[in-house]
Amino acid sequence: MAQNKSLNELLKWSIENSTTPQSNPSPDSAADTEGAAAQQQPTSTEATPRNLDPELLAQLFGGPSDAELMQAAVAHATSRDPEITLESRLTALDNLEQLIESLDNANLLSKLGLWTPLLGLLGHGEARIRLMATWCVATAVQNNAPCQERLVALGGVERLVAMALGERASAPAEEEAGEEGQQKQQEESNDAAAVTGDAETATGAQNEEDKDVRRKAVYALSCAVRNYQPAMDVCTSQLRKKGEQVENIDAADMDAINDVIDNLKEKVMKA
């Protein structure tokens, strides 16, 4: 049905933009024809040729769909190719953010398996990448319960709370490193810390998060918890674990949510 509709649209466009062939006028009637044409004035009601819908052209001639563009953007941003520049990665994430402003496209993140790599970028070594990834998360979950559910299921709310409070999100483990390798590396790090007496290294203290990234994390939290109780419950629970005095909050209570968000914003400003 969709293909037939596209073909019908193409046919309609072709008819609207075609010219009516005229028979060759005889010499005797040429003067009369020219006179009539001179007297005929164009009216404002005449239809003007319309441009063909770019999405229709993409369907007809095999252009990339939004889903394919989203996959390409995430693949580009997360690629380990050293020749891909930082600016190119940021552009890819900016394109992704614009695509997922559409609720339908935002919901494709789950179907395309893009949530995990996107959340992985919250722990990227470059602050601007973390900021853009956080922005994408905020756009996806805003007024979108299916995306809010995915964020909760994948532990994204916990990461956003930590980032908002100034903790750097941990980078995803290398694919080549198994659990045993990671455990051994942690044990070696702790042993070295015990020898030097470095308590902070022994506990794996993280670097502080960039201030701009913290602001965006607060914004993403604000989008994630509104009108979605599971996200609100995780948020308040995590805040209490980190020493914040927060009571349970109804996800539909905008005033109470604003108080929490404003408090987090104030902490960022004072940092």
Side-chain angles (χ1 to χ4, degrees):
M1 292 296 292
Q3 185 176 5
N4 291 337
K5 182 178 179 181
S6 299
L7 292 175
N8 289 336
E9 283 291 321
L10 180 60
L11 178 60
K12 183 178 179 181
W13 176 85
S14 177
I15 293 173
E16 289 177 354
N17 291 273
S18 63
T19 57
T20 304
Q22 298 181 354
S23 58
N24 294 328
S26 63
D28 295 337
S29 62
D32 294 338
T33 303
E34 291 176 358
Q39 294 178 0
Q40 185 177 8
Q41 298 294 330
T43 64
S44 59
T45 59
E46 289 181 353
T48 57
R50 64 184 178 93
N51 293 326
L52 197 57
D53 186 354
E55 292 188 4
L56 177 59
L57 285 173
Q59 293 177 17
L60 292 170
F61 299 108
S65 65
D66 283 357
E68 291 170 328
L69 292 173
M70 290 167 60
Q71 289 176 310
V74 173
H76 193 82
T78 58
S79 173
R80 296 184 181 181
D81 185 349
E83 295 186 1
I84 298 179
T85 65
L86 172 61
E87 293 303 323
S88 181
R89 296 177 192 273
L90 292 172
T91 298
L93 288 173
D94 183 53
N95 292 339
L96 176 66
E97 193 277 331
Q98 293 181 53
L99 284 166
I100 60 178
E101 287 178 354
S102 160
L103 289 179
D104 290 338
N105 285 347
N107 290 332
L108 283 176
L109 288 170
S110 178
K111 296 179 181 178
L112 298 174
L114 299 180
W115 266 113
T116 296
L118 178 59
L119 292 178
L121 290 176
L122 298 182
H124 196 277
E126 169 57 48
R128 284 182 289 174
I129 294 290
R130 298 197 301 275
L131 187 147
M132 282 303 304
T134 307
W135 193 354
C136 288
V137 171
T139 299
V141 300
Q142 189 171 29
N143 299 318
N144 191 337
C147 283
Q148 289 170 299
E149 185 276 330
R150 283 289 83 202
L151 184 69
V152 171
L154 295 172
V157 175
E158 292 91 334
R159 302 187 77 172
L160 290 175
V161 169
M163 293 168 69
L165 292 176
E167 298 177 13
R168 277 281 304 276
S170 58
E174 297 291 334
E175 294 180 0
E176 296 81 7
E179 292 184 3
E180 294 182 0
Q182 296 176 39
Q183 183 178 0
K184 181 178 180 181
Q185 185 178 17
Q186 181 64 42
E187 290 174 352
E188 291 175 351
S189 176
N190 290 344
D191 290 342
V195 172
T196 60
D198 189 346
E200 288 188 351
T201 304
T203 57
Q206 296 176 318
N207 295 329
E208 290 187 2
E209 183 56 273
D210 178 83
K211 201 168 185 177
D212 289 336
V213 178
R214 289 183 64 179
R215 289 194 188 97
K216 195 61 69 175
V218 173
Y219 170 64
L221 270 179
S222 178
C223 296
V225 302
R226 295 181 189 272
N227 295 312
Y228 191 70
Q229 196 62 49
M232 187 74 256
D233 292 342
V234 173
C235 179
T236 53
S237 174
Q238 288 298 307
L239 287 171
R240 284 194 293 269
K241 287 181 180 179
K242 296 182 180 297
E244 300 296 319
Q245 301 297 320
V246 181
E247 300 295 332
N248 291 334
I249 296 174
D250 187 337
D253 188 344
M254 296 299 120
D255 290 336
I257 293 174
N258 288 339
D259 288 341
V260 173
I261 297 302
D262 289 343
N263 181 56
L264 291 174
K265 289 179 179 178
E266 186 176 352
K267 288 181 179 295
V268 175
M269 291 179 61
K270 292 180 178 179

